[in-house]
Amino acid sequence: MRKFNIRKVLDGLTAGSSSASQQQQPQQHPSGNREPEIQETLQSEHFQLCKTVRHGFPYQPSALAFDPVQKILAVGTQTGALRLFGRPGVECYCQHDSGAAVIQLQFLINEGALVSALADDTLHLWNLRQKRPAILHSLKFCRERVTFCHLPFQSKWLYVGTERGNIHIVNVESFTLSGYVIMWNKAIELSSKSHPGPVVHISDNPMDEGKLLIGFESGTVVLWDLKSKKADYRYTYDEAIHSVAWHHEGKQFICSHSDGTLTIWNVRSPAKPVQTITPHGKQLKDGKKPEPCKPILKVEFKTTRSGEPFIILSGGLSYDTVGRRPCLTVMHGKSTAVLEMDYSIVDFLTLCETPYPNDFQEPYAVVVLLEKDLVLIDLAQNGYPIFENPYPLSIHESPVTCCEYFADCPVDLIPALYSVGARQKRQGYSKKEWPINGGNWGLGAQSYPEIIITGHADGSVKFWDASAITLQVLYKLKTAKVFEKSRSKDDKPNTDIVDEDPYAIQIISWCPESRMLCIAGVSAHVIIYRFSKQEVITEVIPMLEVRLLYEINDVESPEGEQAPPLPTPVGGTNPQPVPPQSHPSTSSSSSDGLRDNVPCLKVKNSPLKQSPGYQTELVIQLVWVGGEPPQQITSLAVNSSYGLVVFGNCNGIAMVDYLQKSVLLNLGTVELYGSNDPYRREPRSPRKSRQPSGAGLCDISEGTVVPEDRCKSPTSGSSSPHNSDDEQKMNNFIEKVKTKSRKFSKMVANDIAKMSRKLSLPTDLKPDLDVKDNSFSRSRSSSVTSIDKETREAISALHFCETFTRKADSSPSPCLWVGTTLGTVLVIALNLPPGGEQRLLQPVMVSPSGTILRLKGAILRMAFLDTTGCLVPPAYESWREHNVAEEKDEKEKSKKRRPVSVSPSSSQEISENQYAVLCSEKQAKVISLPTQNCAYKQNITETSFVLRGDVVALNNSICLACFCANGHIMTFSLPSLRPLLDVYYLPLTNMRIARTFCFTNNGQALYLVSPTEIQRLTYSQETCENLQLKVVNSRLHFIITLDFYLDSNFSSF
């Protein structure tokens, strides 16, 4: 029996990729059976890795700025990112190298420049005039902490306030200190014997730029004369100051305080404020002072020619408003409007018609930066409606749990999705155009349609138009609407398979040509959807319940990679015709009181109105068995030509005919092997005690033992015995991980928002984040946590195709290839009835073929090439409208319609062969069919494991693209598996990256870089060159290109 040494689990992630030292391993064949040579056109020079664009809401925003002339909005974040927004489609992402939080942003208005102040006390001057924004100058404050900056309009002097209460003046042109310093003790003089606190505000008098208003945190405000270098007036108040704003005439200013009050001061009357307002305070009788409120964090004072000024503020609510949402208050004359926000307010700015501070401001909108949203309020319309946001900032509306990327889609898809999605738009928006409209559109480098699909924790699925490096939501599908909503705790005893978000999407399988969509949810449910342009009312939602459970004894690992050959089964597996149920089965229990035959969710039993778009075809649910909850689904595939959907988990595999609404296959994984299971597993009865169905994203269940070889991925199984020393080391390591993961669980929970703790990867990847170095450590567990379930073999990959199922086959036929977490590939033969009415009457025959292939590590991807090296796509049926009556001729055609493959191999001669491309977490193999000889083999990594592998088209050729847990992106030629690219790009530090990274055709890839943002990248050298060329010669849309102009109103520039 093969023995494994246990080594540190983290070694595989800190080590570099070993592929550079690996040699391509073509399999040797006798000269008589030599594989035909295929001319490969892809070379290493065709590959280059670069980021293209970042979409979504800036994660953890911290600062906001607006250029009122160029109409450009800037947002800074706590991670040092800088996002620029112009007209719809014009966005730019920049990053400060230090990664320090951005505390303030200041535009050099109409000059194409921006100053950023960071939490590490550095100031940076960004040049936005060039095609790719870059930092021109930086200035570091070593002895003082920067707290506030102010850059007057058309001035070259930047005023920098510090924590010590001093103000330094920086020359913006040279970005050096001028030497002029306003010391705090000179500013306050005898007005206070104590330190006034940090500088919280600086602004110049709108009518006299030589007068500087300085606000100190303690409540002191000083009007400083820059020429005479002394204070003209000092204003004191008992409460701390948060912000200050001028009236445009320069005779009054307003302060916001920590007790929820606003004080309005006359410049020449420093003794006391002329007016004190508590916007949200309860007015008490007898003229007593109102009760204190929460601090008013910011106030703005904007004037109009034709009416009363606007006073706009954030915060200041009464303390007794417990649970009330954050508010923005707009005071205009005698009216006060309180606008509730969905998230905490980070900052807000009032957009005005003029950039000049000494003119009537004429405010027309307020841009509000929230913790997780950007809102623009129309001040010119009654009721203050919001503008419809044209930016793709709603990616995180519900936390993203999975995503898929499709390039070069059918051209009619995006218009079809847009037409049904347009009906979903909300009403009540402002009728005006989006006012942030600076920058210029660029022409996208790609001319082909691209679609991104995101699955979310609330069960929604969003389709995005990603063509030409833009992003626009097309259509939103709510999968949860087919289920009954739980109204009380008593209504949901069966959903404890997950802590929350029982409708969360785990896997998406989509056929762009037929528009068939299939999703697998965290509650072990599968829903199949058809696309229709017609509205329908479904009286009864078709549903099936599947009982999928298989228990095994311990596994004995076979020697080597090649499993013993299996005999071909004589007969096929008989289909199990299960009539679709009109309503979910009621809760039932077995004789010993255990929950049995109960699904996790309850399907609605009332008629369901289905709008144009994706409409439910069939709901499939796994049920509880003997007190055991159903295991989460780990793999999913749908085929429109065959009318079949197949899914699997750690118990086994189930295949459903969604046309006849019947279960065709329901087998434990072991049963797929036939009589000669290479792991010698034997069935046993279910356990009495119920184990949890899923391990947490950031914790390991108490008492769990996690033996693992260092080279094994979380899904690769190994049950070989270990020596006592190794076991002791591993137990010590597990205890350490448990302790750290418990401490870190709250931090991770924030990162994944409300995503289910028990939501597992399709290959059951269960990471833990190490607190000290934020590295990604692997605790090998399947979707169950007890030690006896560790040996289960989960289904990790499924692929319908038309190929050779056995060595003796003379022609390809429909079949299903099944990959498992133990590295086995099995083939199931499909015998389909004729098309038309016969397809609905005769059963589909399903039978394991006996073909078995083995690789190291869990199987991730399977694909097929024809004899010329071209990709053989799965068979599909082109989309047609199902909800309209067919004409007589169409009916005749449909009777004759027979699902056929669109692959070139269907017309090949018998003598021609195919190639199966198999990719696992450790290696890739190219198998010649029908001989099943290994033509080529490549060990992708020894010290890490592959997270995502995709067979993609590039430059009219095919390659295998892989993303490894150690951060390397690699590509290999096909079929020879020559290494073409190996670049260290991104270390795997959290679950989000592992769940969402995916490759697609034409050298495109993406992943969720933060809980709110999608990062797109390309590995195509041609695309990289096109991007660079456009930066030089044209205006690429996601790089801000500003047309700086001299407006007639700004002739003095």
Side-chain angles (χ1 to χ4, degrees):
M1 184 176 292
R2 189 176 175 187
K3 291 187 177 180
F4 297 91
N5 291 324
I6 300 178
R7 304 182 184 120
K8 289 183 179 179
V9 179
L10 294 174
D11 285 354
L13 296 169
T14 56
S17 172
S18 61
S19 63
S21 61
Q22 297 159 2
Q23 298 297 319
Q24 178 191 354
Q25 303 172 35
Q27 202 77 8
Q28 299 299 320
H29 301 288
S31 57
N33 294 330
R34 185 170 297 172
E35 301 297 333
E37 290 291 330
I38 293 177
Q39 188 68 31
E40 296 180 355
T41 58
L42 285 178
Q43 303 297 328
S44 295
E45 54 265 26
H46 292 129
F47 294 88
Q48 182 182 342
L49 196 67
C50 69
K51 295 179 181 179
T52 54
V53 64
R54 182 173 293 200
H55 300 297
F57 182 77
Y59 183 54
Q60 295 180 331
S62 56
L64 183 67
F66 182 69
D67 185 325
V69 179
Q70 291 299 322
K71 303 292 180 67
I72 299 291
L73 186 74
V75 177
T77 75
Q78 294 180 28
T79 56
L82 179 63
R83 293 281 295 277
L84 302 175
F85 297 92
R87 69 182 60 195
V90 178
E91 296 179 32
C92 177
Y93 165 77
C94 310
Q95 177 69 47
H96 293 90
D97 291 338
S98 67
V102 179
I103 59 173
Q104 198 174 352
L105 295 171
Q106 290 267 305
F107 271 104
L108 278 68
I109 295 174
N110 200 35
E111 294 184 27
L114 178 73
V115 174
S116 58
L118 305 189
D120 62 358
D121 308 308
T122 57
L123 303 177
H124 302 281
L125 178 63
W126 289 83
N127 181 10
L128 307 182
R129 284 181 178 270
Q130 59 196 54
K131 303 295 181 179
R132 196 177 293 277
I135 293 175
L136 280 181
H137 301 289
S138 297
L139 185 63
K140 171 75 173 176
F141 283 74
C142 297
R143 298 182 180 180
E144 296 191 68
R145 304 297 308 273
V146 174
T147 57
F148 194 88
C149 297
H150 172 63
L151 180 65
F153 179 48
Q154 295 179 324
S155 172
K156 68 175 182 178
W157 303 112
L158 174 69
Y159 302 96
V160 183
T162 69
E163 195 174 43
R164 291 186 180 180
N166 303 322
I167 295 177
H168 300 266
I169 303 178
V170 176
N171 186 316
V172 174
E173 294 173 352
S174 61
F175 223 65
T176 56
L177 290 170
S178 67
Y180 191 134
V181 181
I182 304 173
M183 304 299 292
W184 68 270
N185 54 348
K186 292 288 184 70
I188 66 166
E189 227 169 38
L190 301 177
S191 63
S192 174
K193 294 181 180 180
S194 60
H195 192 279
V199 175
V200 295
H201 177 82
I202 308 170
S203 60
D204 59 304
N205 188 313
M207 290 297 183
D208 186 355
E209 60 184 19
K211 306 288 188 180
L212 206 63
L213 196 66
I214 306 166
F216 296 94
E217 188 181 63
S218 64
T220 300
V221 178
V222 175
L223 186 65
W224 183 266
D225 189 318
L226 290 168
K227 292 182 180 178
S228 63
K229 297 184 180 180
K230 64 178 184 179
D232 285 348
Y233 300 101
R234 298 181 181 89
Y235 317 83
T236 57
Y237 193 71
D238 295 338
E239 297 294 335
I241 289 177
H242 284 276
S243 70
V244 184
W246 280 99
H247 187 282
H248 85 273
E249 293 177 347
K251 297 178 181 179
Q252 286 186 334
F253 62 88
I254 187 169
C255 301
S256 71
H257 299 276
S258 58
D259 64 345
T261 60
L262 297 173
T263 55
I264 300 176
W265 301 77
N266 282 336
V267 170
R268 297 182 182 275
S269 304
K272 65 176 183 178
V274 295
Q275 190 177 2
T276 301
I277 308 169
T278 309
H280 297 284
K282 292 182 179 178
Q283 298 297 327
L284 303 178
K285 296 180 180 179
D286 303 327
K288 292 183 179 180
K289 188 178 179 181
E291 293 181 357
C293 295
K294 297 176 183 178
I296 296 176
L297 301 178
K298 185 174 182 178
V299 64
E300 291 204 340
F301 201 4
K302 302 299 179 182
T303 55
T304 62
R305 293 181 190 276
S306 59
E308 297 286 338
F310 282 87
I311 297 177
I312 304 169
L313 56 105
S314 63
L317 294 179
S318 174
Y319 279 104
D320 60 6
T321 54
V322 178
R324 187 169 181 178
R325 293 189 294 180
C327 295
L328 185 82
T329 304
V330 180
M331 302 172 67
H332 185 220
K334 295 182 180 180
S335 70
T336 299
V338 181
L339 310 177
E340 290 193 341
M341 302 292 157
D342 291 333
Y343 306 100
S344 299
I345 297 174
V346 176
D347 197 0
F348 72 88
L349 290 172
T350 307
L351 309 189
C352 302
E353 296 290 352
T354 176
Y356 288 100
N358 58 358
D359 196 1
F360 285 97
Q361 302 301 290
E362 303 295 346
Y364 59 88
V366 181
V367 56
V368 188
L369 179 64
L370 304 177
E371 193 177 40
K372 294 182 180 180
D373 201 2
L374 183 72
V375 176
L376 206 60
I377 300 165
D378 187 351
L379 291 179
Q381 290 189 36
N382 292 332
Y384 305 132
I386 64 171
F387 290 85
E388 185 176 7
N389 198 321
Y391 306 134
L393 303 182
S394 62
I395 293 171
H396 64 289
E397 184 179 20
S398 173
V400 176
T401 52
C402 64
C403 64
E404 294 295 335
Y405 190 7
F406 300 86
D408 210 7
C409 300
V411 293
D412 59 343
L413 249 184
I414 290 177
L417 289 167
Y418 181 82
S419 66
V420 295
R423 308 182 189 190
Q424 299 177 329
K425 288 190 176 182
R426 288 174 49 192
Q427 303 297 320
Y429 289 113
S430 169
K431 297 177 181 179
K432 294 184 179 179
E433 291 188 4
W434 183 255
I436 303 170
N437 54 14
N440 290 280
W441 283 308
L443 298 176
Q446 289 80 19
S447 59
Y448 48 83
E450 296 177 79
I451 291 177
I452 295 171
I453 306 179
T454 53
H456 299 264
D458 64 353
S460 60
V461 177
K462 289 183 181 179
F463 292 77
W464 304 82
D465 178 6
S467 308
I469 325 184
T470 60
L471 194 69
Q472 179 184 10
V473 67
L474 292 171
Y475 172 72
K476 179 180 178 180
L477 169 67
K478 296 179 180 179
T479 66
K481 70 179 183 180
V482 302
F483 299 108
E484 298 282 0
K485 294 290 172 58
S486 301
R487 293 191 175 91
S488 66
K489 292 182 180 179
D490 297 333
D491 289 342
K492 50 179 183 179
N494 302 328
T495 60
D496 55 2
I497 183 175
V498 291
D499 288 346
E500 54 183 13
D501 298 323
Y503 312 112
I505 307 298
Q506 265 188 302
I507 311 173
I508 296 170
S509 179
W510 188 51
C511 175
E513 290 79 12
S514 66
R515 304 182 189 175
M516 290 297 298
L517 172 69
C518 192
I519 64 96
V522 72
S523 295
H525 62 280
V526 172
I527 310 178
I528 303 152
Y529 291 93
R530 282 190 190 273
F531 185 85
S532 174
K533 295 181 179 180
Q534 307 294 323
E535 181 180 291
V536 297
I537 296 178
T538 304
E539 295 296 331
V540 177
I541 300 172
M543 69 160 291
L544 291 174
E545 292 177 356
V546 178
R547 186 181 177 94
L548 186 61
L549 182 76
Y550 198 76
E551 292 289 342
I552 54 170
N553 282 323
D554 292 341
V555 177
E556 292 185 8
S557 180
E559 295 292 332
E561 294 177 25
Q562 191 63 38
L566 297 180
T568 303
V570 177
T573 303
N574 293 327
Q576 305 171 28
V578 179
Q581 297 158 359
S582 59
H583 55 83
S585 45
T586 56
S587 178
S588 61
S589 301
S590 57
S591 57
D592 55 1
L594 297 175
R595 192 176 298 150
D596 197 58
N597 277 339
V598 183
C600 295
L601 301 173
K602 185 178 180 182
V603 176
K604 287 182 178 178
N605 55 14
S606 57
L608 178 67
K609 179 181 177 180
Q610 303 203 70
S611 301
Y614 275 102
Q615 299 171 350
T616 306
E617 174 80 5
L618 179 64
V619 178
I620 307 166
Q621 293 195 86
L622 298 184
V623 297
W624 288 67
V625 178
E628 284 291 324
Q631 300 303 312
Q632 292 173 0
I633 292 163
T634 55
S635 191
L636 174 72
V638 65
N639 187 280
S640 60
S641 178
Y642 306 156
L644 304 177
V645 63
V646 62
F647 56 92
N649 60 13
C650 63
N651 281 329
I653 186 172
M655 186 185 297
V656 170
D657 182 341
Y658 65 78
L659 297 178
Q660 296 186 23
K661 310 294 189 290
S662 63
V663 180
L664 302 177
L665 184 72
N666 182 2
L667 290 177
T669 313
V670 177
E671 294 175 289
L672 292 173
Y673 288 91
S675 58
N676 292 329
D677 177 18
Y679 297 98
R680 305 177 185 85
R681 290 167 289 196
E682 295 179 2
R684 69 170 179 217
S685 60
R687 292 178 312 284
K688 299 272 185 178
S689 60
R690 187 176 80 82
Q691 297 292 338
S693 82
L697 293 181
C698 53
D699 59 351
I700 300 176
S701 298
E702 295 295 331
T704 302
V705 180
V706 191
E708 175 183 76
D709 176 74
R710 155 175 103 88
C711 296
K712 293 292 178 185
S713 78
T715 56
S716 303
S718 168
S719 62
S720 301
H722 308 281
N723 59 51
S724 59
D725 290 338
D726 285 338
E727 283 194 54
Q728 184 61 40
K729 290 179 182 177
M730 178 53 71
N731 289 334
N732 292 339
F733 172 77
I734 292 166
E735 288 302 320
K736 185 178 178 182
V737 172
K738 285 183 194 174
T739 304
K740 290 183 178 180
S741 62
R742 280 193 292 267
K743 293 178 181 177
F744 203 62
S745 59
K746 290 185 179 180
M747 295 174 63
V748 175
N750 290 333
D751 184 42
I752 62 174
K754 293 183 178 180
M755 192 181 350
S756 168
R757 285 176 58 251
K758 297 179 180 178
L759 193 60
S760 60
L761 274 175
T763 52
D764 300 318
L765 184 62
K766 298 280 185 181
D768 291 296
L769 296 179
D770 190 286
V771 179
K772 290 183 178 179
D773 59 2
N774 199 34
S775 61
F776 179 91
S777 61
R778 294 171 294 151
S779 58
R780 189 189 75 79
S781 70
S782 65
S783 58
V784 287
T785 57
S786 57
I787 186 170
D788 56 332
K789 287 190 177 183
E790 288 293 325
T791 57
R792 286 189 178 178
E793 184 176 14
I795 306 298
S796 58
L798 295 164
H799 188 87
F800 285 105
C801 57
E802 203 157 310
T803 187
F804 302 91
T805 57
R806 303 176 181 88
K807 290 183 179 180
D809 285 356
S810 57
S811 62
S813 58
C815 58
L816 171 71
W817 285 53
V818 181
T820 75
T821 52
L822 295 184
T824 302
V825 176
L826 304 144
V827 183
I828 296 174
L830 308 175
N831 188 359
L832 298 164
E837 293 181 1
Q838 293 299 311
R839 173 62 183 85
L840 301 176
L841 298 174
Q842 297 182 22
V844 177
M845 303 303 294
V846 182
S847 60
S849 67
T851 297
I852 179 171
L853 305 165
R854 285 195 50 78
L855 282 78
K856 292 180 183 176
I859 305 299
L860 299 180
R861 192 69 58 197
M862 297 174 284
F864 296 85
L865 308 179
D866 63 16
T867 189
T868 64
C870 295
L871 190 65
V872 178
Y876 64 84
E877 181 185 73
S878 296
W879 178 80
R880 60 187 177 90
E881 181 60 69
H882 281 257
N883 290 333
V884 294
E886 289 184 298
E887 297 293 334
K888 186 175 180 180
D889 293 343
E890 286 295 322
K891 287 185 177 181
E892 291 300 320
K893 289 180 182 178
S894 66
K895 288 180 182 179
K896 298 176 183 178
R897 185 181 288 120
R898 170 75 167 86
V900 294
S901 172
V902 297
S903 70
S905 55
S906 60
S907 59
Q908 290 172 351
E909 296 181 7
I910 293 177
S911 60
E912 293 184 341
N913 61 1
Q914 289 183 352
Y915 294 96
V917 180
L918 311 177
C919 177
S920 76
E921 293 174 319
K922 289 293 182 181
Q923 63 180 192
K925 285 184 178 181
V926 174
I927 307 296
S928 179
L929 300 177
T931 63
Q932 297 181 14
N933 292 325
C934 181
Y936 302 97
K937 182 173 72 171
Q938 177 69 250
N939 290 325
I940 300 173
T941 177
E942 293 291 344
T943 58
S944 184
F945 57 95
V946 178
L947 279 165
R948 178 81 182 210
D950 287 296
V951 176
V952 292
L954 178 67
N955 293 355
N956 297 317
S957 191
I958 305 295
C959 67
L960 172 65
C962 298
F963 172 54
C964 284
N966 59 11
H968 283 249
I969 290 178
M970 293 175 279
T971 61
F972 302 90
S973 68
L974 289 175
S976 68
L977 293 174
R978 287 181 297 109
L980 297 172
L981 175 74
D982 185 355
V983 176
Y984 177 76
Y985 172 70
L986 176 77
L988 182 64
T989 54
N990 56 54
M991 188 72 170
R992 182 182 58 252
I993 300 170
R995 189 186 306 282
T996 58
F997 199 103
C998 51
F999 298 95
T1000 189
N1001 295 332
N1002 300 323
Q1004 306 295 326
L1006 66 78
Y1007 62 96
L1008 206 66
V1009 68
S1010 75
T1012 64
E1013 297 167 291
I1014 286 176
Q1015 177 67 57
R1016 292 167 68 180
L1017 58 146
T1018 181
Y1019 49 95
S1020 162
Q1021 194 269 344
E1022 182 182 359
T1023 304
C1024 287
E1025 276 190 357
N1026 287 339
L1027 293 178
Q1028 297 297 330
L1029 191 63
K1030 283 185 172 292
V1031 168
V1032 176
N1033 295 331
S1034 78
R1035 294 178 178 175
L1036 196 61
H1037 88 281
F1038 68 88
I1039 294 171
I1040 293 290
T1041 309
L1042 306 176
D1043 279 341
F1044 296 97
Y1045 58 88
L1046 299 182
D1047 192 284
S1048 58
N1049 294 327
F1050 308 111
S1051 56
S1052 60
F1053 278 22

